[in-house]
Each structure stands twice: as structure tokens, then as C-alpha cells.
Amino acid sequence: MSNHNRRGWRLSSLKQLVLLSFLVVVTPFGILIYYATDALVEQSAEGRVLAKQALEVTRRGQRLEGLAEDITRSARQYQILAKPEIKQRLTQNLLDYREQLSIHSFILTKVEQLNQINALLDNIEQSNAEDANNLLGFTRDINQQVDLILDQRLQALNSTAQHTQTQLSTLALILLVIEMLLILFFSFSIIRPVRRIADRIQALGTGEEYTGAMVGGPDELVELEQQLDWLTERLAEVENEKQRFLRHMSHELKTPLTTLREGSDLLADQITGPLNQSQMEVTQLLQSNSRQLQSLIEQLLDYSRLHQNESVNFHPVKLLPVFIEAIEPYKLLLEQKKIHLTLPKEEHEWTTDRAMLVRIISNLVSNAALYGSNEGDLTLSIEHTNEHCLIHVENDGPTIPLKDVPLLFEPFYQGQNRRQGPVKGSGIGLSIVHDAAESLGATVTLSKNENHRVGFSVCLPISEHPIND
């Protein structure tokens, strides 16, 4: 638990982490939207100003051309008629032209042309009609220059818009990359502790010790990790209690059972006196069921040892003596059911753990003896190659229902078929076979299940473990 106090900075809750990740991911988009909106507003304002200016300049240019025509016409008329009202109209037109030209001059960049037009206007005002003919041409030149200046400003505005668009595209691409990195970072920050919790739960479920990093992260996940710590300790205590219970119970059961077996053996050997046929049958029944009870107790002990990761010792083992040792506890039951036993005729040797192999064969023979048919066959055979050793245990008896086949090696599972005899089975025989085979790196399979014939095969691979002499 002290490891929790050594963690670095972290957000205090999962809610805060999610909110912060949302804000950090959304902020770059907000910046992009603000920048794009600001640039759009600015360029829109410039566009409106330019449009308004172009409209005013166009109207003013048209007004100047009209005034130039009126001035030219009035100058000619005054030169011919010399009437005061014509002179007055000419003066007014010149005044209006000068006023419009002064406004127009803010756009023009060439001062020389403005000076020429002003000089031309002075000459016209002094009744020089010939100079008035040039006024319209100068006015049109000025309007063309103004149009050119407006086109240049429009092109500049378009260039600015394209530049802004390029900047926004680049900024959007950069922010997209940043967004992806932020999303990956915050996703990893949330997923990593959750994945570690999942690993811890998996290790807890398989009974393995968790050796990964501490979970860390927000308070909710840290609290969940503390609960897992408590659960791990509690399960370890329960497992220890279970193992202690099995050891004590098996000891307490084996002590009176040994007395029963010794007493039944004494009766069967007629040490206390001769027995009639009925008494002998009762004695044999006591012997048979006491052996079955002993087998059940030994299965419980085997199951307990296998789940304590009992070590294995690999060395060359002669297989025929293993078969004989495994069959010995069930010889009386086989004789009572008149089951014909067939063993391999040739000796074989394989590198394995002898105690584990005896445990495997013993439980397979136990199943065959208990579930096998009366006056049936029980065959143990060996297929030996350079790469593996196959041990087959087959017997006559009722076939296993198909729906029971996938669950055969599950602990404490009992299928539809029931063993013969008053002592009920524990349902862990085949589970012990499976676990013991795994400890040897071997596999056990249901190899035959048809025509009132059931068989199991154990495949022992070449041992890669060091051989212990």
C-alpha cells in the first residue's frame, strides 16, 4: 500500500481528467475559429470599403467626364456669343470640376497630371476655348488611372485573402496534428490504468502474481486498485484456509479410514475366524468402498498439491512399472467387476516426472474401473516415436454424452453418467489428469467415444526441462 504514496502528480479524479482532456482538445479549435473569424471580419470590412470606394470613384469619374463636356461646350459658346449667362455657367462648371477633381486627387499618385489639368482649367477660365478641347481627354486619362489603381487594390485584397487562406490551412493542419497527439495522450492516460487494472484482475483470476506497474491515475482508479489489493489478500487468506482445511480434513479422514481398511483386511484374511459366504461378501464390500474413499481423499490431496504449483522432476522413467503402480489400488475393484486388463507387452522409457505420470494414469484407470462395464476390457497401450509418447487408456462402458464432452476436464463437474457403487464421485479426477498433464507440458484428450468404447490419450512431448538424477 505504501507504493501509492510515491506516485507523482496526477489529477484527483477521473471526472477532472475527462473535463481537462475535453478542454485541452477543444481549445485549439477555438483558437482556429477565433483567428479565422477575425481574419474574415477584417477582410470583409476591407472589401466593403473598397467596393464603396470603387462605386464613388466611378460615379465621380462619370461626373468629371460630364462636367468636362459641359465646360468644353460652354467655352465654345462663350467664345462665339460672349453672353454673361454662358460665362456664369462656365464658371460654375469649372468650380464643380475643381471640387470633384480635388476629391479625386486623393486616389491619384501622379501630381504632374493634376498640375496640368489645373493649368488647363485656368486657361479655360481666361476664355481660351482651344484648351477646353483637351480637357475631356485628360479627364478620361485620369479615370483610367483611377480604375487601374482600384484594380491594383483589388488584386492586393485577393492576395491577402489567399495568404490568409494559406495561413488558416497551415494552422488547421498543425492544430489537427496537435489534436491527434493530445487525443492519444489523454486516451493513453485513461486507458493505461484501466488496462493495468484489467491485467491485475486477469492475474487475480488465474491465481498468478501480478508483477506489472502500479495503476496510478485518478482517485477512482487508485481506490479500485486498493480494493484489488484487499481482494488479493483476502483471496490468499481464503486459499490458505482452503488448503489448511483440505490437509486437516484429509488427515482426519485417513486416520479412521486406515483403521477400517485394516479391520476389513483382517476380516477378509479370516484372522479372527472363518467367515461364511454372506460375511465374506460384506467384508469385500467394506474393502472395496474403503479403497474408493481412500481414492477420493487422495484425489482431493492431489488437487490441492497441483494448485500449489508442485515442482516436477524430470528423469528417465520406465513406463510399465508406472502402469502397475497406478493400477494396484484398483485391482480388487477390477476383479470384482471381472474387467479384463491388458498391459503393453514391451517396456518403454520416457523422460518425465514419475509421480505426476502415476497420478495421471491412476485417475484414468480409476475412471475406467468405476464407469466401465462388468466383464468388459481395460487396455493400456503405448505409441512411441522420436518426438512424443502417446499413452492410451481405453475401456468398455457407456459413451460420454456429447454435451458433457467440453466440460470433462472442469473441476467438480459430473456428467450424466454415474459411477457404480455407493460412494459418489468428487468430479475432480479428470481435472487432476488435465492439470498434471499441463505441469508436464503434455496434453490429454478424449480419443475414443463410440460403440460402447471410451478412451483417453496422453501425449508426452520431448522434455525440454533439465534432467534431475
Side-chain angles (χ1 to χ4, degrees), residues 319 348-351 382-392 459-463:
L319 299 183
H348 296 272
E349 187 176 87
W350 195 259
T351 300
I382 299 173
E383 290 183 29
H384 192 283
T385 68
N386 293 330
E387 297 181 354
H388 61 264
C389 177
L390 276 174
I391 299 175
H392 303 288
C459 181
L460 298 172
I462 294 178
S463 174

Side-chain angles (χ1 to χ4, degrees), residues 79-232:
Q79 185 179 11
I80 297 173
L81 301 176
K83 290 183 178 182
E85 60 272 15
I86 297 176
K87 179 65 174 178
Q88 185 179 0
R89 186 171 67 247
L90 176 60
T91 302
Q92 183 63 42
N93 289 336
L94 288 172
L95 182 62
D96 293 341
Y97 189 93
R98 289 180 187 276
E99 183 181 355
Q100 296 296 325
L101 183 62
S102 64
I103 299 174
H104 230 44
S105 64
F106 290 104
I107 300 176
L108 294 172
T109 58
K110 294 182 179 181
V111 182
E112 296 82 1
Q113 287 184 336
L114 292 175
N115 293 333
Q116 290 177 357
I117 293 175
N118 287 324
L120 182 62
L121 292 175
D122 292 338
N123 292 333
I124 295 172
E125 193 173 6
Q126 294 175 4
S127 302
N128 191 347
E130 295 180 358
D131 292 335
N133 295 327
N134 298 325
L135 182 60
L136 183 59
F138 278 110
T139 303
R140 289 174 178 173
D141 290 341
I142 290 175
N143 287 336
Q144 289 178 358
Q145 292 179 16
V146 171
D147 291 339
L148 181 60
I149 292 172
L150 291 176
D151 289 339
Q152 292 175 350
R153 291 185 179 182
L154 181 60
Q155 291 177 1
L157 183 61
N158 289 333
S159 298
T160 302
Q162 291 178 357
H163 179 67
T164 303
Q165 183 179 3
T166 303
Q167 285 184 329
L168 290 175
S169 299
T170 304
L171 181 60
L173 182 60
I174 294 173
L175 290 179
L176 180 60
V177 174
I178 295 175
E179 289 290 311
M180 293 178 63
L181 294 176
L182 289 174
I183 291 173
L184 290 175
F185 171 75
F186 284 106
S187 297
F188 182 74
S189 299
I190 296 175
I191 292 174
R192 180 177 59 180
V194 173
R195 187 174 296 167
R196 288 177 178 173
I197 289 177
D199 292 340
R200 288 208 60 181
I201 294 175
Q202 184 176 3
L204 187 63
T206 57
E208 300 175 355
E209 182 179 0
Y210 177 73
T211 57
M214 304 302 293
V215 172
D219 284 344
E220 293 87 347
L221 300 181
V222 172
E223 183 178 354
L224 181 58
E225 182 187 24
Q226 293 173 352
Q227 295 295 326
L228 287 175
D229 289 339
W230 173 83
L231 182 60
T232 301

Side-chain angles (χ1 to χ4, degrees), residues 228-288:
L228 287 175
D229 289 339
W230 173 83
L231 182 60
T232 301
E233 295 174 358
R234 183 60 183 153
L235 288 177
E237 293 175 1
V238 171
E239 181 66 21
N240 291 332
E241 289 292 332
K242 184 189 75 172
Q243 299 299 334
R244 186 159 49 249
F245 170 79
L246 288 175
R247 288 194 300 270
H248 291 173
M249 184 58 65
S250 61
H251 176 73
E252 295 297 327
L253 289 175
K254 288 179 72 174
T255 300
L257 182 59
T258 301
T259 303
L260 286 175
R261 285 199 57 187
E262 291 176 352
S264 62
D265 290 341
L266 290 175
L267 290 174
D269 293 338
Q270 301 186 23
I271 301 298
T272 58
L275 302 176
N276 57 33
Q277 183 65 29
S278 298
Q279 292 172 335
M280 183 61 69
E281 290 179 357
V282 173
T283 300
Q284 290 176 350
L285 185 63
L286 287 172
Q287 282 184 307
S288 173

Side-chain angles (χ1 to χ4, degrees), residues 275-385:
L275 302 176
N276 57 33
Q277 183 65 29
S278 298
Q279 292 172 335
M280 183 61 69
E281 290 179 357
V282 173
T283 300
Q284 290 176 350
L285 185 63
L286 287 172
Q287 282 184 307
S288 173
N289 285 281
S290 62
R291 289 180 184 275
Q292 291 184 33
L293 284 174
Q294 183 178 10
S295 175
L296 291 176
I297 294 172
E298 289 175 351
Q299 282 184 347
L300 287 173
L301 290 175
D302 287 343
Y303 183 78
S304 175
R305 293 191 197 101
L306 286 172
H307 283 77
Q308 290 179 338
N309 296 322
E310 184 179 357
S311 61
V312 292
N313 297 314
F314 286 85
H315 54 275
V317 175
K318 294 186 181 299
L319 299 183
L320 193 55
V322 169
F323 291 174
I324 295 174
E325 180 180 347
I327 293 169
E328 182 64 28
Y330 309 101
K331 287 182 66 175
L332 180 60
L333 179 60
L334 294 174
E335 291 175 359
Q336 288 177 346
K337 298 181 70 173
K338 298 180 181 180
I339 295 176
H340 179 260
L341 176 63
T342 303
L343 295 176
K345 296 181 180 179
E346 298 180 358
E347 180 61 274
H348 296 272
E349 187 176 87
W350 195 259
T351 300
T352 186
D353 181 277
R354 191 179 192 282
M356 285 289 182
L357 187 57
V358 168
R359 191 173 295 166
I360 293 171
I361 304 303
S362 177
N363 279 279
L364 290 177
V365 171
S366 171
N367 263 24
L370 293 169
Y371 291 95
S373 301
N374 292 332
E375 300 182 1
D377 290 328
L378 171 59
T379 304
L380 279 72
S381 60
I382 299 173
E383 290 183 29
H384 192 283
T385 68

